[in-house]
Amino acid sequence: MEKKIVTVSIIGLGGRGGEAYGRYLITQKDKFKITHMCDINPVRLHKYGEAFGVSQENRFDDEDKFFEKKLSDVLFITTQDRLHVRMAKKALELGYDIVLEKPISDDPQELRELSALAKEKQRKIMVCHVLRYTVMMRKIKEILKSGAIGKLVSIDHTENVVYWHEAHSYVRGNWRNRKMATPMIMAKCCHDLDLLQDFVGSRCKAVASMGSLAFFKSEFKPQDAADRCVNCKYVDSCTYSAKNVYVRGWHNVGKPLNTFPFNLITDAYPTTEEALMEAITEGPYGRCVFACDNDVVDNQTVIMQFENGITATLKMEAFVKQGGRDIRFFGTEGELELNEGQGTITLKKYLGADTVWKINELTDDLEGHGGGDHRMIDELYEIMTGKTPEVATSLDESIESHYMALAAEESRLEGGKLVEIAKFRG
Ligand SMILES: NC(=O)c1ccc[n+]([C@@H]2O[C@H](COP(=O)([O-])OP(=O)(O)OC[C@H]3O[C@@H](n4cnc5c(N)ncnc54)[C@H](O)[C@@H]3O)[C@@H](O)[C@H]2O)c1
């Protein structure tokens, strides 16, 4: 029997639609074909149209024309945060199955409306909580499920954002300001909140949170610093200078042809030093980190109580050198620890020796969120061909993690008061 080719359209050809998913989809020629695409940016439409072999007549620069009719089996919605619900509603009306980028929305009313429409239209929606698909998180679930640590009592979870990533995305970049993006605890950590509810196996009951923008603000700008790094006397000495982050940083990692974050500040492909210099001389990523229009936090802590009695803490921290998640699970018979930076999962039974798994021995593909970007697409094929019945990252479960983030932000803004999740469910 001939193998089914799932046809795919992509709206939003940026870091996610173009780089993370599009470039992997075209390597899976026996499973997927990208047939149509839409982006309002003509440079990107051309760049990815050529890269993915999409014909001129199937490239759209206008959302309204793109949504006139259903064009493929699946639609990837990979535009910025604020456009997801509008586009998902149009897609559901046309009968698409959808891969939907997170965060879905920070408006609880919109979330409830989308959930109701999805139920009415009975389409498949896979939300891009890519970490759930990683081999490391699945290994952790397997260990927890095996009962190896006894009864799970609490979890301590740290998301190490990394100093330069904070500057890139949350000071200079697309998620820097609440007017243009969701709160940082949602933009960065709805993955973590989603993982926590999945590990705990229960909905969250209430949260409290504190956090602040501690550093990236004008009061910390040296008086004689310039607004743009290339014109600044501290261009070489400042930890956050755009030249240090993007140009020296690119050299330090071996001048990669097409790697985050360098490939997101310029559309030049492959990346060159000239293109990076041009981007920091003219574009938003060359601004002084103390002279941007950013207002989102650089540190936040959330305390959670789940309906089944388990408690958890989540710390989102900008000021760290190495990225990845550190998670500790505390059980009645032992501890379980993920140290993503070191690449290990350790089971510490109270009686008996420790067991250590090396993450790079569990899988040979750790690219893009520890391999999650690719594994999600692999599972999409299983879903679309009926081999796997249920999406691991369903809309309704994902929406719960968004309510947790909304409650955390409300709590933070109100000095750490306890906020019940039930009120967001409507
Ligand atoms: N799953 C994850 O782990 C993960 C990681 C990073 C980002 N994200 C999320 O993915 C989404 C996309 O992020 P990104 O980094 O790719 O953003 P991006 O800005 O690089 O790309 C978005 C693209 O959408 C295009 N666009 C804007 N308005 C449009 C319209 N009306 N019609 C068609 N195209 C339009 C833009 O021109 C741009 O090319 C965001 O919501 C982000 O929060 C998810």
Side-chain angles (χ1 to χ4, degrees):
M1 206 175 74
E2 213 168 289
K3 202 167 169 182
K4 179 176 167 57
I5 303 285
V6 175
T7 55
V8 171
S9 302
I10 304 176
I11 185 161
L13 295 160
R16 304 304 297 166
E19 291 301 324
Y21 306 130
R23 288 201 190 275
Y24 183 66
L25 283 164
I26 57 162
T27 68
Q28 305 296 302
K29 289 197 170 32
D30 59 333
K31 295 179 180 166
F32 294 102
K33 181 170 173 53
I34 303 175
T35 57
H36 297 79
M37 52 172 51
C38 177
D39 200 298
I40 51 171
N41 178 330
V43 176
R44 290 186 167 180
L45 199 56
H46 175 77
K47 173 178 168 181
Y48 293 109
E50 296 299 300
F52 302 161
V54 174
S55 60
Q56 285 289 350
E57 68 273 17
N58 289 347
R59 301 178 196 172
F60 295 78
D61 59 8
D62 174 10
E63 178 187 334
D64 291 338
K65 290 209 177 73
F66 178 75
F67 279 113
E68 272 174 7
K69 61 176 189 213
K70 183 174 182 239
L71 300 165
S72 58
D73 299 324
V74 182
L75 172 62
F76 278 60
I77 299 177
T78 45
T79 46
Q80 275 299 336
D81 304 3
R82 296 257 185 260
L83 302 178
H84 294 168
V85 171
R86 180 175 91 206
M87 292 179 172
K89 282 182 174 171
K90 289 183 187 180
L92 283 171
E93 293 293 352
L94 290 175
Y96 277 110
D97 291 321
I98 303 172
V99 173
L100 180 61
E101 254 312 349
K102 50 69 28 184
I104 303 163
S105 166
D106 57 355
D107 176 347
Q109 178 64 24
E110 264 199 351
L111 290 168
R112 291 193 290 267
E113 280 171 20
L114 185 63
S115 169
L117 186 65
K119 285 190 184 82
E120 182 195 320
K121 299 294 174 187
Q122 297 275 304
R123 302 313 312 177
K124 300 178 185 92
I125 302 186
M126 182 178 244
V127 182
C128 299
H129 286 298
V130 289
L131 290 174
R132 275 219 204 185
Y133 297 89
T134 58
V135 173
M136 66 185 160
M137 296 305 178
R138 292 216 159 149
K139 183 75 191 167
I140 284 172
K141 264 196 91 171
E142 178 195 309
I143 299 167
L144 291 175
K145 219 171 149 196
S146 75
I149 67 164
K151 176 179 156 46
L152 176 65
V153 175
S154 66
I155 308 178
D156 178 26
H157 182 127
T158 301
E159 155 62 326
N160 299 296
V161 179
V162 180
Y163 70 100
W164 64 259
H165 191 169
E166 174 80 21
H168 170 76
S169 293
Y170 305 99
V171 180
R172 296 181 169 116
N174 289 334
W175 298 273
R176 66 186 181 274
N177 190 296
R178 281 289 287 116
K179 287 197 196 80
M180 50 195 291
T182 58
M184 187 172 165
I185 197 67
M186 180 180 279
K188 187 71 183 124
C189 285
C190 64
H191 281 316
D192 303 279
L193 297 166
D194 171 65
L195 284 171
L196 283 167
Q197 63 168 353
D198 189 36
F199 292 141
V200 164
S202 163
R203 296 194 308 185
C204 188
K205 187 171 180 303
V207 310
S209 180
M210 292 185 190
S212 65
L213 175 60
F215 186 53
F216 298 105
K217 40 194 184 183
S218 56
E219 69 200 75
F220 292 104
K221 185 179 183 215
Q223 267 188 351
D224 49 356
D227 284 351
R228 193 167 268 286
C229 298
V230 289
N231 306 324
C232 183
K233 65 192 283 196
Y234 301 107
V235 64
D236 292 318
S237 59
C238 172
T239 304
Y240 301 93
S241 116
K243 195 169 170 198
N244 280 335
V245 173
Y246 298 110
V247 182
R248 290 209 178 86
W250 182 67
H251 278 271
N252 289 345
V253 294
K255 301 197 280 181
L257 300 180
N258 189 36
T259 295
F260 172 82
F262 316 106
N263 59 357
L264 294 193
I265 72 162
T266 169
D267 277 312
Y269 179 82
T271 305
T272 61
E273 180 161 343
E274 293 67 43
L276 293 172
M277 276 309 294
E278 188 184 322
I280 66 168
T281 304
E282 288 165 17
Y285 293 94
R287 292 179 292 168
C288 171
V289 288
F290 306 109
C292 291
D293 55 342
N294 59 306
D295 63 4
V296 304
V297 298
D298 51 29
N299 71 96
Q300 187 164 353
T301 301
V302 187
I303 313 173
M304 287 150 270
Q305 169 91 66
F306 288 85
E307 286 177 353
N308 63 1
I310 294 175
T311 56
T313 53
L314 166 67
K315 180 156 182 56
M316 176 178 78
E317 183 58 65
F319 301 103
V320 286
K321 189 164 182 175
Q322 190 171 24
R325 271 95 186 161
D326 298 329
I327 318 178
R328 290 180 74 195
F329 299 85
F330 304 97
T332 53
E333 297 295 324
E335 276 178 55
L336 180 65
E337 185 174 334
L338 167 73
N339 186 320
E340 209 185 336
Q342 282 179 8
T344 53
I345 295 170
T346 309
L347 172 64
K348 300 176 183 173
K349 298 273 290 176
Y350 300 143
L351 297 181
D354 295 355
T355 311
V356 181
W357 290 267
K358 290 204 169 116
I359 294 166
N360 63 7
E361 289 173 4
L362 300 174
T363 173
D364 55 11
D365 179 5
L366 288 167
E367 204 189 311
H369 294 96
D373 293 352
H374 296 175
R375 294 296 77 74
M376 184 186 77
I377 288 176
D378 296 345
E379 211 154 300
L380 173 68
Y381 188 76
E382 307 268 299
I383 295 280
M384 293 303 294
T385 50
K387 283 193 202 101
T388 300
E390 280 192 23
V391 174
T393 48
S394 70
L395 181 66
D396 279 353
E397 252 190 282
S398 175
I399 285 176
E400 279 291 317
S401 72
H402 286 51
Y403 293 155
M404 291 161 76
L406 288 172
E409 186 63 356
E410 182 179 320
S411 172
R412 184 184 78 81
L413 292 172
E414 296 191 24
K417 79 165 191 190
L418 193 70
V419 178
E420 299 277 338
I421 306 294
K423 72 175 201 177
F424 295 97
R425 295 188 185 117

